[in-house]
Amino acid sequence: MRPPSMAAGVPTSTGVTGIPFLSFDLGTAPVSGYGPPSTGGILHNSGLFEEEAPLLEELGIDTSQIMRKTRSVLNPFRLKSDLHEDADLSGPFVIFMLFGLFQLLAGKLHFGVILGWLAVASIFIYFVFNMLAGSNGSLDLYRCLSIVGYCLLPMVIFSGISLFLPRSGLTIAVISCIAVIWCTRASTGLLVMVAPHAEEYRSLLAYSCGLLYTAFSLLVLF
């Protein structure tokens, strides 16, 4: 004789059938984790994203400052040295890429050459400046690279204009000379303004910067 709880076809008081392998309790079944997310969680996460700083700000790139430095170089007669006291390499990198792009449009792959010349030229100007200034030399290599890179902008403009001019002629030679003088005046002025004690060495600094930007102009011409 079977016990009452095991009567055929009659479930027990706990909801378990008489067949052992079908014994389960729906009340204790786990809830699936694949359901739609709650609205509160979405709103909370969107609030966190809104509080985050922009990506360029997190990387330390100030686009407005870069634009102000660029405009100051475009007017070599009214340079603002206070803008270049906070050196950066973001602006020079953009100028370098534009220079390389214009050279590429002219059929010359000069990205590595421009980068190498820019680095070597900055080291050259750094050593010349500090040797002339002696113990008063306060120009660091990072700031020197920033100034030389920003002052390359007129040469980039010349490189863009040269795409529409014949390679042999008086016009492109005159524009090349103007670009070299423009770059030289801007870089020399900024170097002297950043370190006022270098005023007496302005002519020697201008000669060094002139050699540097003449080399870049020859890169565009030939």
Side-chain angles (χ1 to χ4, degrees):
M1 183 177 179
R2 290 179 293 181
S5 61
M6 295 298 291
V10 180
T12 63
S13 60
T14 59
V16 181
T17 62
I19 304 174
F21 58 83
L22 292 179
S23 300
F24 60 91
D25 188 357
L26 294 177
T28 59
V31 180
S32 174
Y34 295 96
S38 62
T39 308
I42 296 176
L43 294 177
H44 178 68
N45 291 333
S46 63
L48 291 178
F49 284 119
E50 290 176 359
E51 293 175 0
E52 290 185 355
L55 179 59
L56 292 178
E57 185 178 339
E58 291 184 353
L59 295 176
I61 300 174
D62 189 352
T63 54
S64 60
Q65 183 78 352
I66 292 173
M67 291 302 298
R68 286 194 294 270
K69 289 181 179 180
T70 304
R71 287 195 297 266
S72 72
V73 172
L74 290 176
N75 187 359
F77 299 99
R78 290 186 178 181
L79 295 171
K80 297 180 180 179
S81 61
D82 56 323
L83 293 176
H84 294 269
E85 289 180 357
D86 184 16
D88 72 277
L89 295 183
S90 303
F93 178 77
V94 174
I95 294 172
F96 153 71
M97 292 299 294
L98 286 175
F99 196 8
L101 178 61
F102 287 141
Q103 290 295 93
L104 186 63
L105 292 175
K108 307 172 186 176
L109 190 60
H110 284 165
F111 285 98
V113 176
I114 296 170
L115 183 60
W117 283 16
L118 195 60
V120 172
S122 301
I123 296 173
F124 171 70
I125 297 296
Y126 166 75
F127 277 111
V128 168
F129 183 91
N130 286 284
M131 287 177 65
L132 291 173
S135 59
N136 295 324
S138 58
L139 181 69
D140 56 275
L141 184 59
Y142 184 76
R143 181 177 296 178
C144 183
L145 185 58
S146 176
I147 292 175
V148 172
Y150 272 107
C151 293
L152 191 65
L153 182 60
M155 196 60 61
V156 176
I157 297 174
F158 165 58
S159 179
I161 295 174
S162 67
L163 296 174
F164 308 97
L165 296 176
R167 291 295 170 182
S168 59
L170 182 62
T171 304
I172 194 170
V174 171
I175 297 176
S176 172
C177 293
I178 293 174
V180 171
I181 295 172
W182 192 352
C183 294
T184 302
R185 181 177 177 84
S187 59
T188 305
L190 286 177
L191 287 171
V192 172
M193 287 181 181
V194 169
H197 58 270
E199 178 67 36
E200 55 183 318
Y201 311 115
R202 178 185 285 269
S203 58
L204 292 176
L205 289 174
Y207 175 72
S208 303
C209 294
L211 290 177
L212 159 65
Y213 293 111
T214 300
F216 280 110
S217 68
L218 294 176
L219 192 66
V220 176
L221 291 173
F222 304 104

